[in-house]
Amino acid sequence: MDINQTLQNLRVSYRLEALDISDCRPDPLAQFDYWLKEAINGQCDEPNAFTLSTVSHNKPRGRVLLLKGLHQGDFVFYTNYSSAKGQEMETNSHAAMTFLWLPLQRQVRIEGTVTKVDAALSDDYFSKRPRGSQLGAIASPQSQKVSSRQVLEKLFSEVQSNFGDNKPLKRPESWGGYALSPEYIEFWQGRDNRMHDRIAYEKENGLWTLSRLAP
């Protein structure tokens, strides 16, 4: 069968749940916490995975990352400051996050501005990462072009040899956390006949307002 025909015939009916404004908590962070816990308990694959969208030279760019914290109303994730996304957020602090929990037929969209987290928070998280992940953060020149896989493995082996198996590893200055401060959060619940439920929270003068959006 032609791939276009296959794609056109792919259909899933969403009928698990409904979502109304009356179901939502006044604070979108509390609503997100509730949905995230349901995604975790529902054994969704990588429930903390999200697509981070940034802007580079007026062009959108996206990639999948992992949420690693909710701190003081912000969404926290970690990466290399010198990476492509790090440079893009340095130039344009506006960014968006999208979570998709297919087993629950749910999606959450978040828009806001991004800032680097306090160094102490980055240090604390880095110290809790598996040693292999720590070594990888030190070794990888993230987003830079490399000639082969062997180059990456050589960089990792050199770092591993330099630090051994037990020496504590210090967080590299080029690696750390970002916090996205939300200005817009939308909760999407799949419904039958593509008449999905969409509840949007918008921040106005420091207060959140709720609205229902057409699907």
Side-chain angles (χ1 to χ4, degrees), residues 41-133:
N41 294 333
Q43 298 183 330
C44 293
D45 291 336
E46 298 277 24
N48 60 329
F50 67 94
T51 298
L52 174 70
S53 300
T54 55
V55 177
S56 175
H57 303 292
N58 294 320
K59 295 180 180 179
R61 301 187 73 185
R63 74 290 288 165
V64 177
L65 301 179
L66 298 176
L67 182 71
K68 287 299 180 179
L70 294 169
H71 296 280
Q72 299 178 347
D74 293 341
F75 296 80
V76 176
F77 57 94
Y78 295 85
T79 190
N80 189 310
Y81 292 143
S82 300
S83 65
K85 56 186 171 295
Q87 295 177 41
E88 290 155 12
M89 290 185 288
E90 185 71 25
T91 301
N92 187 334
S93 63
H94 293 280
M97 312 171 81
T98 306
F99 292 83
L100 178 63
W101 300 310
L102 279 176
L104 301 180
Q105 301 174 354
R106 288 174 176 172
Q107 174 181 260
V108 180
R109 293 179 51 234
I110 304 165
E111 299 173 3
T113 55
V114 179
T115 56
K116 291 179 180 177
V117 304
D118 183 85
L121 186 61
S122 291
D123 289 339
D124 179 67
Y125 174 69
F126 187 82
S127 69
K128 296 174 181 176
R129 300 185 89 202
R131 190 171 183 83
S133 297

Side-chain angles (χ1 to χ4, degrees), residues 2-214:
D2 177 73
I3 186 61
N4 291 317
Q5 185 68 41
T6 300
L7 292 172
Q8 291 168 14
N9 289 336
L10 289 175
R11 292 282 187 276
V12 175
S13 294
Y14 298 137
R15 298 173 178 172
L16 285 181
E17 298 209 28
L19 180 66
D20 192 72
I21 287 180
S22 61
D23 302 321
C24 297
R25 287 129 175 91
D27 183 348
L29 272 298
Q31 181 66 30
F32 180 84
D33 182 78
Y34 175 65
W35 268 25
L36 178 60
K37 287 176 179 175
E38 288 205 324
I40 294 171
N41 294 333
Q43 298 183 330
C44 293
D45 291 336
E46 298 277 24
N48 60 329
F50 67 94
T51 298
L52 174 70
S53 300
T54 55
V55 177
S56 175
H57 303 292
N58 294 320
K59 295 180 180 179
R61 301 187 73 185
R63 74 290 288 165
V64 177
L65 301 179
L66 298 176
L67 182 71
K68 287 299 180 179
L70 294 169
H71 296 280
Q72 299 178 347
D74 293 341
F75 296 80
V76 176
F77 57 94
Y78 295 85
T79 190
N80 189 310
Y81 292 143
S82 300
S83 65
K85 56 186 171 295
Q87 295 177 41
E88 290 155 12
M89 290 185 288
E90 185 71 25
T91 301
N92 187 334
S93 63
H94 293 280
M97 312 171 81
T98 306
F99 292 83
L100 178 63
W101 300 310
L102 279 176
L104 301 180
Q105 301 174 354
R106 288 174 176 172
Q107 174 181 260
V108 180
R109 293 179 51 234
I110 304 165
E111 299 173 3
T113 55
V114 179
T115 56
K116 291 179 180 177
V117 304
D118 183 85
L121 186 61
S122 291
D123 289 339
D124 179 67
Y125 174 69
F126 187 82
S127 69
K128 296 174 181 176
R129 300 185 89 202
R131 190 171 183 83
S133 297
Q134 293 177 330
L135 292 168
I138 296 171
S140 176
Q142 192 172 129
S143 297
Q144 295 182 27
K145 293 180 179 180
V146 292
S147 60
S148 66
R149 174 72 191 186
Q150 288 69 33
V151 171
L152 292 175
E153 293 178 351
K154 185 173 184 293
L155 289 171
F156 186 89
S157 295
E158 289 174 350
V159 170
Q160 191 173 34
S161 297
N162 289 338
F163 289 100
D165 295 327
N166 300 311
K167 184 178 179 180
L169 301 175
K170 181 180 178 181
R171 175 182 66 88
E173 293 185 3
S174 61
W175 189 97
Y178 287 95
L180 186 144
S181 181
E183 300 166 356
Y184 176 91
I185 304 180
E186 180 187 317
F187 295 86
W188 180 100
Q189 177 69 60
R191 297 294 302 276
D192 200 14
N193 298 316
R194 296 299 185 262
M195 295 296 287
H196 311 303
D197 289 327
R198 296 173 62 190
I199 306 299
Y201 292 74
E202 296 181 86
K203 204 169 193 178
E204 300 176 358
N205 300 318
L207 299 176
W208 290 101
T209 60
L210 284 79
S211 304
R212 171 177 280 275
L213 306 179

